[in-house]
């Protein structure tokens, strides 16, 4: 069943009417196909018009939708032969950040990304996608492997931020994030990062410092969550919608600001309505970017990253 967001209530009511009409007509000789078709067309048009006019705060809600595809979903639909590699060889395993070898349309790559989980048990196991130091150190290890074997790196970013707990600070969270960012910038191979849901703070940047950054149509990317920003500026999280508007968190805003390079379209109604289609669309876009980047040498790729981030900072 689809979980409807607050702003989708008119769509939900219309789709409920369609289901009730179908149920009432079962085993009945009355032909209601024309009425059903009319309502379905009306529902599709309403869904399309709703998603064409989403506010930044509504896009934030879509990016956090409980049914939105995460790392494992993209692996299932867009990549092949994924071989997970675990552990940072220093402390332990962090299941919030997953990675390993994979193939994308025949290309051998190293794939790294955040996994939030899709039910209570898996969300707890994956710590809601909030990486710990060992997760970022694992990412560094995998990037070094990619550089050694000449494999492109693809990252799928989806986190509200790095884990803020005391134990993470004790194990060097800030240092791990900084070194992961450094590892991205120093890669001698192509790197493509995709913001597939939430891109929050340094926890996202640590896996997104690539020469090409893609963003799903209804993803968000910011230095702090809208609630966190509102709590600082207005002393209340109720101002989160205003904060989201001011922070320019959407893919459309960030493309205009040149913070990201490409927006990947989602199915009408968001990626959660058709995860397979969303994953295939992203996979095709990443493949095109890797083909373009494969023409550049390692030194050129490093220079591209440096110039990209200096241009943003300037």
């Amino acid at each position: 069943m689809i979980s409807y967001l607050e702003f989708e209530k008119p769509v939900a009511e219309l789709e409920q009417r369609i289901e009730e009409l179908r149920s009432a007509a079962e085993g009945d000789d009355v032909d209601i196909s024309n009425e059903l078709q009319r309502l379905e067309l009306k529902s599709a048009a309403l869904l399309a018009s709703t998603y064409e006019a989403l506010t930044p705060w509504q896009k934030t809600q879509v990016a956090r939708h409980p049914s939105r595809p995460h790392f494992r979903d993209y692996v299932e639909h867009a990549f092949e032969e994924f071989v997970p590699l675990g552990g940072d060889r220093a402390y332990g395993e962090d299941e919030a950040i997953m990675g390993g070898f994979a193939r994308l349309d025949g290309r051998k790559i190293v794939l790294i990304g955040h996994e939030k989980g899709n039910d209570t048990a898996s969300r707890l196991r994956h710590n809601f996608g909030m990486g710990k130091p060992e997760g970022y150190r694992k990412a560094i290890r995998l990037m070094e492997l990619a550089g050694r074997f000449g494999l492109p790196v693809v990252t799928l970013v989806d986190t509200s931020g790095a884990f803020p707990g005391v134990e993470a600070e004790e194990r060097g969270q800030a240092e791990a994030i900084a070194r992961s960012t450094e590892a991205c910038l120093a890669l001698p191979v192509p790197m493509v990062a995709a913001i597939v849901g939430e891109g929050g703070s340094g926890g996202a940047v640590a896996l997104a410092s690539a020469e090409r950054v893609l963003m799903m149509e209804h993803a968000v990317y910011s230095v702090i969550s809208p609630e966190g920003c509102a709590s600082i500026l207005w002393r209340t999280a109720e101002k989160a919608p205003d904060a989201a508007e001011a922070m320019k968190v959407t893919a459309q805003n960030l493309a205009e600001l040149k913070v990201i390079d490409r927006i990947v379209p989602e199915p009408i109604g968001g990626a959660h309505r058709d995860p397979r289609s969303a994953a295939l669309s992203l996979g095709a876009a990443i493949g095109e970017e890797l083909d373009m980047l494969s023409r550049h040498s390692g030194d050129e790729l490093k220079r591209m990253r440096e110039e990209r981030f200096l241009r943003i900072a300037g």
Side-chain angles (χ1 to χ4, degrees):
M1 289 183 63
I2 295 173
S3 176
Y4 292 96
L5 298 168
E6 184 67 25
F7 65 84
E8 293 179 308
K9 277 188 175 179
V11 178
E13 291 169 1
L14 195 51
E15 292 187 353
Q16 184 178 358
R17 282 175 56 196
I18 293 170
E19 288 305 315
E20 288 172 352
L21 195 58
R22 281 203 185 103
S23 298
E26 283 183 6
D28 201 327
D29 294 333
V30 179
D31 184 8
I32 60 166
S33 57
N34 289 337
E35 179 64 12
L36 271 176
Q37 184 179 29
R38 184 185 71 80
L39 288 175
E40 286 169 350
L41 288 173
K42 184 178 179 181
S43 175
L46 180 59
L47 183 66
S49 63
T50 298
Y51 271 75
E52 283 173 2
L54 293 182
T55 66
W57 177 239
Q58 289 170 337
K59 281 185 178 285
T60 302
Q61 293 174 288
V62 175
R64 296 171 176 172
H65 195 285
S67 300
R68 192 170 178 85
H70 301 306
F71 183 85
R72 287 183 179 276
D73 300 295
Y74 286 103
V75 167
E76 178 184 354
H77 297 301
F79 300 90
E80 308 95 36
E81 298 180 28
F82 178 62
V83 180
L85 299 175
D88 66 343
R89 303 299 186 265
Y91 179 84
E93 168 67 338
D94 177 16
E95 293 195 62
I97 296 177
M98 302 184 69
F101 297 115
R103 287 181 183 270
L104 175 62
D105 290 333
R107 307 174 189 81
K108 295 179 182 179
I109 64 168
V110 167
L111 180 64
I112 307 169
H114 298 94
E115 172 58 54
K116 286 185 171 181
N118 54 15
D119 56 31
T120 301
S122 63
R123 285 174 187 136
L124 289 171
R125 185 171 72 253
H126 293 291
N127 200 34
F128 299 88
M130 294 186 292
K132 298 177 182 177
E134 49 271 27
Y136 291 104
R137 291 181 179 127
K138 173 172 64 177
I140 294 168
R141 184 171 72 84
L142 296 180
M143 284 187 258
E144 289 174 347
L145 274 176
R148 190 177 309 153
F149 293 110
L151 300 175
V153 174
V154 173
T155 61
L156 306 181
V157 177
D158 188 10
T159 181
S160 58
F163 183 61
V166 173
E167 62 268 37
E169 296 299 331
E170 289 174 341
R171 295 197 294 273
Q173 183 72 290
E175 182 264 356
I177 289 172
R179 290 199 178 276
S180 182
T181 305
E182 180 184 41
C184 293
L185 296 172
L187 273 172
V189 294
M191 180 178 182
V192 176
I195 316 298
V196 297
E198 284 185 279
S201 192
V205 173
L207 296 185
S209 297
E211 61 269 29
R212 296 292 291 176
V213 179
L214 282 54
M215 222 173 144
M216 296 300 286
E217 182 181 0
H218 301 306
V220 293
Y221 191 22
S222 62
V223 71
I224 190 173
S225 70
E227 296 94 329
C229 177
S231 295
I232 293 170
L233 295 182
W234 291 285
R235 300 291 191 269
T236 173
E238 292 180 2
K239 288 283 191 177
D242 296 323
E245 183 75 39
M247 290 164 63
K248 309 294 184 188
V249 299
T250 70
Q252 295 72 24
N253 292 148
L254 296 169
E256 289 178 11
L257 294 170
K258 310 272 188 224
V259 172
I260 66 164
D261 304 294
R262 178 171 178 174
I263 299 173
V264 180
E266 295 187 25
I268 294 173
H272 58 279
R273 288 179 177 268
D274 191 348
R276 184 175 183 276
S277 175
L280 291 175
S281 180
L282 179 63
I286 291 172
E288 291 171 7
E289 298 294 340
L290 289 177
D291 286 342
M292 182 272 291
L293 293 173
S294 66
R295 300 193 290 266
H296 297 277
S297 67
D299 288 339
E300 288 173 333
L301 292 169
K302 291 177 187 177
R303 188 169 62 252
M304 286 170 66
R305 289 181 209 125
E306 180 181 358
E307 290 173 352
R308 184 180 188 284
F309 286 97
L310 286 175
R311 187 168 59 248
I312 294 171

